Amino acid sequence: MERRSFLRGAVIGTSVAAFGGTLMRGAAYAAPAQNGPSPYGSLGAADANGIQLPSGFTSRVIARSGQTVSGTSYTWHNAPDGGACFADGSGWIYVSNSEINPGGGASAVKFNSSGTVTSAYRILSNTRQNCAGGATPWNTWLSCEEVSLGYVYETNPWGGTSTRRDAMGRFKHEAAAADPVRQVIYLTEDETNGCFYRFIPTTWGNLSSGTLQVLVAGSGTSGSFTWQNVPDPDGSPTTTRTQVSGAKHFNGGEGCHYAGDTVWFTTKGDNRVWQVNLLNSTYELAYDDNLVNPGPAPLTGVDNITGSSSGDLFVAEDGGNMEICIITPDDIVAVFLRITGQSSSEITGPAFSPDGTRLYFSSQRGTSGSSSGGITYEVTGPFRS
């Protein structure tokens, strides 16, 4: 019997699409994802951009840190990190954070319907170490500061005003994922004893006020959970993650993805992907590199995560073999692509175009190993749908 009876539908662009059904009632927890053949086949030789891809896929460079984006006059930011795509008429926009401090912020690249870059521009400035974030159903980008007492900034992918969202708490923010069913935003915390949070806006679509809650559970890797209010979301004088007795702590929260009444998030400190089943308030491991048998585990340095309309999860590596791996709905983990010659970098910001045919991501430090060497890529091909 399969562990799940649903597909991991993606939030692609700005359209929230939930695919599949619900977790089997009473189903026992099964082992996390295991090695298996990739549905895309084996990797070919590295292409001209140094990327190994399955047959039928091609890559191109979209932008390089410190250089003007081709076809525009805009200079791409250093240390590109978390990203997302937004529909823009017949085209789309890819937004990308800048994980530098000071400076930070985020930029955007606009594409027409054929995928040609038409413009690039700044959407957030003068912030600190903007790492990951998340898209909202109302077409904004939540850019998160990965610093102590960091903020979440709500930005406009088309440019203009950005707003600091104090009510979403002050802590070492990493990623965000919107849940339109429960009308909440999930948040990860990049600390060795970080927590997993949800923010309940007073009014859905307006993040100016609301309630911050933390996940409360036992010490195991599976079980039931509840939510409890964080008394003092501004994190001063008592740090946010220590305010609620019984809050479950995670080793280095990273990426976060919602689809189909489920939220997945990653923890880099122990190379895990956690699965939170929202219909029955249980959690479990979707992946743990120590539980892959037989090894070796293909996915290490677990970091940013996104999903496709097929239900596949795409997980980027910070280090490891510089790979993006997939975890399929039937719990197979396999390599999807590998960047060669960039062992001092990390893969960041994976996000699909609205039609699901193009995957964007960055190598944060590129071949130089420096924040000024970042490279942002696009991969096109026959992604499953």
Side-chain angles (χ1 to χ4, degrees):
M1 183 174 68
E2 290 188 4
R3 175 151 60 105
R4 304 173 185 87
S5 61
F6 58 83
L7 290 177
R8 304 180 182 111
V11 180
I12 298 177
T14 57
S15 299
V16 179
F19 298 81
T22 63
L23 187 74
M24 293 180 183
R25 186 176 300 277
Y29 293 111
Q34 298 295 312
N35 273 327
S38 168
Y40 293 105
S42 60
L43 301 185
D47 64 11
N49 297 318
I51 301 180
Q52 293 181 254
L53 293 162
S55 177
F57 289 84
T58 59
S59 75
R60 67 167 170 159
V61 173
I62 298 301
R64 295 179 183 271
S65 296
Q67 300 183 22
T68 55
V69 180
S70 180
T72 79
S73 60
Y74 182 72
T75 301
W76 196 237
H77 57 259
N78 287 349
D81 206 285
C85 280
F86 297 83
D88 178 51
S90 59
W92 59 92
I93 296 169
Y94 177 67
V95 301
S96 170
N97 282 339
S98 176
E99 195 186 6
I100 59 173
N101 186 15
S107 303
V109 180
K110 186 177 288 192
F111 302 84
N112 65 18
S113 58
S114 64
T116 300
V117 174
T118 60
S119 63
Y121 45 90
R122 196 76 171 176
I123 62 171
L124 177 65
S125 299
N126 301 318
T127 54
R128 304 169 296 164
Q129 205 162 319
N130 296 76
C131 197
T136 69
W138 51 92
N139 299 343
T140 61
W141 167 244
L142 302 179
S143 183
C144 298
E145 290 185 317
E146 189 195 6
V147 295
S148 179
L149 297 179
Y151 290 102
V152 175
Y153 288 82
E154 187 170 17
T155 68
N156 183 347
W158 288 263
T161 303
S162 298
T163 305
R164 197 177 77 188
R165 294 305 188 189
D166 294 17
M168 298 184 77
R170 295 190 71 186
F171 52 89
K172 200 172 184 180
H173 283 277
E174 182 70 32
D179 176 352
V181 177
R182 279 146 287 272
Q183 299 189 339
V184 302
I185 307 290
Y186 302 103
L187 301 161
T188 58
E189 181 177 24
D190 193 358
E191 299 275 8
T192 56
N193 62 340
C195 291
F196 187 65
Y197 303 89
R198 72 174 184 179
F199 177 70
I200 309 172
T202 303
T203 302
W204 185 235
N206 182 347
L207 302 178
S208 61
S209 65
T211 302
L212 183 68
Q213 297 184 325
V214 66
L215 186 142
V216 174
S219 60
T221 55
S222 65
S224 60
F225 69 88
T226 58
W227 298 101
Q228 189 167 327
N229 292 352
V230 175
D232 187 13
D234 73 2
S236 179
T238 305
T239 55
T240 307
R241 65 187 179 279
T242 64
Q243 292 180 24
V244 175
S245 177
K248 187 168 180 62
H249 296 281
F250 299 92
N251 190 353
E254 292 287 340
C256 192
H257 173 69
Y258 169 85
D261 293 313
T262 307
V263 61
W264 292 266
F265 68 95
T266 63
T267 48
K268 187 170 63 181
D270 48 19
N271 285 323
R272 287 171 168 173
V273 180
W274 297 84
Q275 177 179 312
V276 181
N277 308 308
L278 301 166
L279 288 176
N280 62 4
S281 297
T282 61
Y283 68 95
E284 59 183 304
L285 287 174
Y287 176 79
D288 184 329
D289 70 333
N290 284 324
L291 298 180
V292 172
N293 186 27
L299 174 59
T300 59
V302 177
D303 206 293
N304 288 176
I305 186 171
T306 192
S308 70
S309 60
S310 65
D312 294 320
L313 298 174
F314 286 72
V315 187
E317 290 186 335
D318 177 354
N321 293 331
M322 283 292 289
E323 295 171 344
I324 294 179
C325 293
I326 64 169
I327 301 175
T328 69
D330 53 354
D331 300 318
I332 296 297
V333 59
V335 177
F336 172 71
L337 66 78
R338 180 183 299 122
I339 301 177
T340 63
Q342 300 185 29
S343 59
S344 296
S345 187
E346 63 184 274
I347 299 179
T348 59
F352 281 93
S353 60
D355 66 359
T357 64
R358 301 168 190 253
L359 175 65
Y360 295 92
F361 57 92
S362 295
S363 171
Q364 190 182 80
R365 296 178 293 279
T367 58
S368 70
S370 166
S371 62
S372 61
I375 310 171
T376 299
Y377 299 97
E378 174 195 84
V379 164
T380 305
F383 288 101
R384 305 201 297 174
S385 62

